[in-house]
Amino acid sequence: MQNEQDQILNEVTTGEYKFGFYTDIEQDSIAKGLNEDVVRMISAKKKEPEFMLEFRLKAYRHWLTMKMPEWAHLKIPEIDYQDHIYYSAPVQRAKLNSLDEVDPELLETFNKLGIPLEEQKHLSGVAVDAVMDSISVKTTFREALAELGIIFCSFSEAVKEHPDLVKQYMGSVVPYTDNYFAALNSAVFSDGSFCFIPKGVRCPMELSTYFRINAANTGQFERTLIVAEDKSYVSYLEGCTAPMRDENQLHAAIVEIVAMESAEVKYATVQNWYPGNKEGKGGIYNFVTKRGICKGDNSKISWTQVETGSAITWKYPSCILKGHNTTGEFYSVAVTNNHQQADTGTKMIHIGKNSRSIIVSKGISAGVSNNSYRGQVKVLRGADNARNFSQCDSLLLGDKCGAHTFPYIESANHSAIIEHEATTSKIGEDQIFYCNQRGISTEDAIGLIINGYTKEVLNKLPMEFAVEAQKLLLISLEGSVG
Amino acid sequence: MLVIKDLRVSIEGEEILKGINLEVNAGEVHAIMGPNGSGKSTLAAILAGRDIYEINSGTVLYKGEDLLDKSPEERAKDGLFLGFQYPIEIPGVSMVNFMKTAINEMRKHRGEEPLSASEFLKKMREKKDLVEISSSLTNRSVNEGFSGGEKKKNEIFQMAMLEPQLAILDETDSGLDIDALRIVARGVNNLKSPHNATIVITHYQRLLEYIVPDFVHVLFNGRIVKSGGKELALLLEEKGYEWVRSEEVNL
């Protein structure tokens, strides 16, 4: 028995993070440190137009006046911002015949991550923008999408090819003054995805961005902008991984979504950044500002997130419900194990009449981790008949972890109806034994319970990803009970 | 099928079972009776593999193999079923999913293909009728929000689904009204065959009017102090456990 247990334990501890490998590829990196020259250098490397550099410098100068936010229920070790590299790009070594070709080594990297970049090999119906460290490596299905008038490209390209759109929308949802990390990102952001769906177009495939951090000591600061014009529809997916390293790495991203009249945008994230080892060494610090605005009447924005990775997660995908009859949704599963910390939730700001929002948050804590839900529901004066329903559930595995809920509710309109429900439960030994007695192993029993618990959220993901997310949840929790 | 020899078990240093000897053969129904605290539930839990006890001595052979060496799920897959005295609620896990996983685990163990969805649902319908459990219960999460009686019926339903070789029913009758009792008994009687055996653990003689045991054992203070035929249950009912107590003094 003892031997067997040791063996299982061994397997679990060695096999815990599947994407921890490192690609040994030449990197074009700048020196560590952050100052105005670095900001200028990034802009120059990306051959950006003047307006971008100005935007970056304004953001940088503003950032200098700001302080790191301390309100989250997180213990964040002091971060030396001079000790990080702010730009690092893999150098494509092989001689390429066309601009569309990608260095085989990079292709291999993304293959290993389960993201083939050759269009014919890819999951049908999913277009991918693959981002490694500071640059976009390849965006698939661009031409096919362009025929419908859809723009799907890396942010860097958008800056050059569609400067007017970028100028019009960048910073319109998350201004650089918004918060500390938004200012930092606005100053040094490197790449990300840009997506524009014209009036009346229903995007026929899932669009996705895959973020990979590869280089050491390097932060990833990406920016994604999605604009959905009147009566358009798009479903967007984001995935992320990083190698296992002993040092903490920074990731501070911004995602902005603009939904015009009757547009619908679904944004899903399966976040699997390296969480650090069992003792809490290493892992990604993930400070992300994601916000969408339902600008036009009858528009809808839906956030779905499955958060399994990162040493620290600080993230609140939000909706500003400005138009009338708009809908904001937030579905979240956040898992923390070992020494991970997560402070995550959402903000729903009701401005338009009959605006509705729904929040379903499922936290799972194991090991000695801490998992907090932080959510704000704010109803402004003019938001007649605004309606919100929030459900915040916490599941504890073992007795050394913590789960916390911090709801903030403000209403300035008497006709608003706001509901908040919260539960906390625990996977007990009794439940495990009951399953065991019916022939179900402990691992499978935890799987059943976790799947049941997270079903409501995972059902919101496109099917292939729901299956992946389910597996990922179980891998993240392996060895946490028993 | 089951041979228990001189089984001594303690919890936190206190000896609960003080040398149990019991032999159960295929085709038999055994009733274990005894007052509260006599060790009945401990015996059931030990056989199912609950690991909060220390086993001090003794052996348990199940189908010729050492039972105590096996994990709870191995025992279950080998056909040992425990009907829980207090069935556990598992929110979020549907009965359908739970049963399907359990059945397919056992089939895998026997080298059989998993049941198809339609075969599974057919089986589920059949067994549901047998224990008169309503569809609304099987569509819910495992035991969640079930009444006491519904939980017990659900144990019998699971037993019927899993078709165990050795079923141990731990006070399945407690808290049941006469109708529910009849249904539970029918479930047990229905399962009876020359190839399997049942151990019914009960405090009262009442259940034994519906499930007729081949053998009755009286467990008292960690020992089986009396064994006999079904008439022993009646005698016990008539004289009460006080009678055993005085008998034990004479031992």
Side-chain angles (χ1 to χ4, degrees):
Chain A
M1 280 293 262
Q2 194 56 43
N3 260 338
E4 202 179 312
Q5 267 178 1
D6 285 349
Q7 199 185 337
I8 292 170
L9 216 81
N10 240 326
E11 276 168 25
V12 166
T13 44
T14 50
E16 59 188 0
Y17 188 70
K18 234 168 89 184
F19 305 107
F21 66 89
Y22 165 69
T23 309
D24 188 10
I25 190 161
E26 192 186 326
Q27 299 270 154
D28 168 20
S29 304
I30 62 173
K32 276 184 184 175
L34 181 57
N35 52 48
E36 275 202 26
D37 288 342
V38 168
V39 175
R40 285 175 200 279
M41 207 183 323
I42 293 171
S43 189
K45 281 210 178 272
K46 302 185 91 68
K47 302 190 181 68
E48 286 176 348
E50 192 56 29
F51 83 91
M52 273 309 316
L53 177 63
E54 273 167 38
F55 177 83
R56 287 176 183 278
L57 289 172
K58 270 195 278 184
Y60 177 68
R61 287 169 195 150
H62 188 76
W63 180 71
L64 290 175
T65 68
M66 299 175 93
K67 276 209 173 76
M68 182 104 164
E70 284 170 350
W71 42 261
H73 189 76
L74 299 169
K75 282 195 193 108
I76 307 173
E78 197 163 333
I79 298 168
D80 180 358
Y81 289 91
Q82 299 306 331
D83 198 34
H84 288 263
I85 294 171
Y86 290 85
Y87 183 89
S88 179
V91 176
Q92 310 220 3
R93 260 178 303 200
K95 282 228 161 108
L96 307 173
N97 294 321
S98 80
L99 278 174
D100 268 0
E101 270 185 51
V102 180
D103 189 315
E105 204 153 349
L106 290 177
L107 280 185
E108 184 47 37
T109 299
F110 281 94
N111 269 333
K112 258 166 121 174
L113 297 168
I115 315 288
L117 297 179
E118 293 102 326
E119 290 183 5
Q120 67 276 16
K121 282 193 194 159
H122 205 272
L123 277 171
S124 58
V126 184
V128 184
D129 180 21
V131 178
M132 180 130 121
D133 297 325
S134 304
I135 63 157
S136 166
V137 171
K138 161 110 187 168
T139 310
T140 62
F141 294 106
R142 282 181 62 164
E143 293 77 18
L145 291 167
E147 280 169 27
L148 296 164
I150 295 170
I151 306 170
F152 179 48
C153 63
S154 73
F155 204 91
S156 312
E157 284 165 292
V159 167
K160 278 174 243 162
E161 289 166 28
H162 310 282
D164 293 342
L165 285 174
V166 172
K167 238 190 252 179
Q168 188 182 347
Y169 292 108
M170 181 183 65
S172 71
V173 192
V174 182
Y176 65 80
T177 49
D178 192 80
N179 68 69
Y180 189 79
F181 299 110
L184 177 64
N185 173 288
S186 300
V188 301
F189 75 89
S190 35
D191 222 331
S193 306
F194 175 76
C195 166
F196 177 85
I197 317 289
K199 225 176 219 175
V201 172
R202 215 185 140 80
C203 186
M205 49 177 84
E206 302 279 343
L207 301 188
S208 73
T209 309
Y210 194 89
F211 294 105
R212 172 73 175 168
I213 296 180
N214 187 57
N217 302 314
T218 302
Q220 190 175 55
F221 304 91
E222 89 270 0
R223 225 186 148 98
T224 295
L225 175 58
I226 299 172
V227 178
E229 285 202 319
D230 296 356
K231 299 184 177 64
S232 66
Y233 167 87
V234 65
S235 168
Y236 202 91
L237 278 160
E238 176 203 305
C240 357
T241 58
M244 291 159 99
R245 291 185 199 287
D246 284 350
E247 310 84 45
N248 296 104
Q249 280 180 283
L250 262 181
H251 174 257
I254 289 181
V255 176
E256 295 179 281
I257 299 175
V258 180
M260 308 303 272
E261 196 240 301
S262 300
E264 181 177 353
V265 179
K266 286 185 181 172
Y267 192 104
T269 310
V270 177
Q271 187 262 106
N272 186 20
W273 292 120
Y274 176 53
N277 70 5
K278 276 195 139 39
E279 282 74 47
K281 200 166 169 48
I284 302 290
Y285 290 167
N286 192 30
F287 302 107
V288 174
T289 308
K290 290 184 169 175
R291 194 174 302 152
I293 181 164
C294 287
K295 217 168 178 178
D297 294 349
N298 307 309
S299 57
K300 181 176 175 184
I301 292 176
S302 169
W303 297 101
T304 304
Q305 59 170 19
V306 176
E307 303 281 305
T308 63
S310 295
I312 293 175
T313 300
W314 181 99
K315 181 179 170 190
Y316 316 89
S318 305
C319 297
I320 301 170
L321 303 169
K322 192 164 178 231
H324 301 312
N325 310 310
T326 48
T327 307
E329 294 177 339
F330 175 75
Y331 299 97
S332 168
V333 172
V335 180
T336 52
N337 196 357
N338 300 322
H339 289 264
Q340 281 178 274
Q341 307 177 64
D343 192 300
T344 183
T346 183
K347 283 195 253 183
M348 293 291 174
I349 313 294
H350 292 255
I351 302 171
K353 293 184 174 54
N354 304 313
S355 50
R356 285 166 311 230
S357 62
I358 180 162
I359 298 171
V360 177
S361 162
K362 304 268 181 181
I364 303 171
S365 348
V368 291
S369 68
N370 259 304
N371 200 325
S372 305
Y373 167 80
R374 186 181 303 277
Q376 184 183 35
V377 176
K378 191 171 181 173
V379 177
L380 273 66
R381 238 190 22 230
D384 294 345
N385 304 314
R387 182 105 175 70
N388 162 265
F389 175 76
S390 303
Q391 169 85 46
C392 300
D393 297 330
S394 309
L395 185 67
L396 300 167
L397 281 79
D399 52 9
K400 293 184 185 71
C401 51
H404 316 271
T405 304
F406 303 98
Y408 304 86
I409 297 169
E410 286 169 60
S411 175
N413 187 307
H414 291 297
S415 61
I417 301 174
I418 299 169
E419 286 176 76
H420 183 98
E421 286 181 11
T423 65
T424 303
S425 50
K426 208 179 153 195
I427 296 187
E429 275 173 41
D430 285 357
Q431 288 174 325
I432 300 287
F433 181 69
Y434 192 74
C435 293
N436 288 163
Q437 213 302 305
R438 300 303 185 243
I440 302 167
S441 71
T442 301
E443 297 272 65
D444 290 347
I446 294 172
L448 271 179
I449 295 170
I450 297 286
N451 288 345
Y453 176 73
T454 56
K455 202 163 42 192
E456 203 180 340
V457 173
L458 296 189
N459 283 347
K460 299 288 169 186
L461 291 173
M463 213 188 30
E464 305 87 339
F465 293 87
V467 174
E468 281 303 306
Q470 212 171 62
K471 282 190 217 151
L472 187 60
L473 287 179
L474 300 184
I475 292 169
S476 309
L477 289 168
E478 258 178 17
S480 53
V481 164
Chain B
M1 178 171 290
L2 183 75
V3 183
I4 305 176
K5 275 197 183 132
D6 190 38
L7 182 65
R8 289 170 185 272
V9 170
S10 53
I11 183 164
E12 286 165 8
E14 194 195 338
E15 199 168 53
I16 310 280
L17 299 182
K18 301 170 181 171
I20 299 281
N21 292 289
L22 181 67
E23 191 171 339
V24 177
N25 297 309
E28 296 174 351
V29 175
H30 288 244
I32 296 180
M33 301 182 71
N36 289 332
S38 56
K40 303 189 301 286
S41 288
T42 302
L43 179 60
I46 283 287
L47 294 178
R50 190 91 222 222
D51 64 358
I52 54 173
Y53 303 95
E54 300 137 49
I55 294 164
N56 304 327
S57 71
T59 55
V60 180
L61 290 182
Y62 172 61
K63 297 199 286 187
E65 288 174 31
D66 183 0
L67 182 73
L68 300 177
D69 208 29
K70 293 185 175 178
S71 70
E73 58 269 33
E74 283 172 320
R75 301 178 196 200
K77 285 190 263 195
D78 276 339
L80 188 146
F81 178 91
L82 172 66
F84 284 67
Q85 185 179 5
Y86 303 108
I88 308 296
E89 298 190 8
I90 311 179
V93 178
S94 70
M95 267 310 291
V96 172
N97 212 350
F98 181 68
M99 272 291 97
K100 203 169 163 199
T101 309
I103 283 192
N104 285 336
E105 279 300 314
M106 295 190 184
R107 292 181 67 91
K108 196 162 91 190
H109 181 69
R110 295 193 296 260
E112 297 166 8
E113 290 291 305
L115 277 185
S116 73
S118 63
E119 288 169 316
F120 175 77
L121 289 174
K122 187 171 160 244
K123 184 167 183 152
M124 190 123 168
R125 256 196 314 274
E126 268 172 39
K127 305 296 182 182
K128 222 155 53 184
D129 292 345
L130 180 71
V131 295
E132 295 178 26
I133 193 166
S134 76
S135 296
S136 69
L137 291 185
T138 50
N139 288 336
R140 297 218 309 251
S141 293
V142 179
N143 291 322
E144 194 185 27
F146 286 29
S147 72
E150 285 166 346
K151 282 182 182 170
K152 295 297 176 74
K153 275 206 260 178
N154 193 24
E155 293 294 292
I156 301 303
F157 167 67
Q158 293 178 49
M159 180 181 81
M161 289 292 286
L162 298 172
E163 298 167 334
Q165 283 167 280
L166 176 63
I168 303 160
L169 304 178
D170 188 10
E171 305 220 15
T172 303
D173 54 333
S174 62
L176 289 187
D177 59 29
I178 284 294
D179 289 337
L181 202 62
R182 230 178 250 140
I183 290 165
V184 164
R186 187 167 66 208
V188 174
N189 291 332
N190 219 285
L191 186 78
K192 199 175 164 177
S193 85
H195 308 293
N196 54 33
T198 308
I199 299 174
V200 181
I201 293 175
T202 180
H203 188 82
Y204 304 104
Q205 192 267 336
R206 200 175 59 152
L207 179 66
L208 304 181
E209 289 172 19
Y210 302 96
I211 303 172
V212 181
D214 301 300
F215 300 94
V216 174
H217 311 276
V218 181
L219 188 62
F220 187 79
N221 199 11
R223 283 191 198 93
I224 290 177
V225 293
K226 238 176 187 356
S227 293
K230 59 176 185 269
E231 64 289 345
L232 181 58
L234 293 170
L235 200 63
L236 209 57
E237 181 81 352
E238 190 188 314
K239 297 195 172 177
Y241 287 114
E242 271 310 308
W243 166 64
V244 188
R245 202 159 295 168
S246 57
E247 291 270 302
E248 203 212 17
V249 177
N250 297 336
L251 284 175

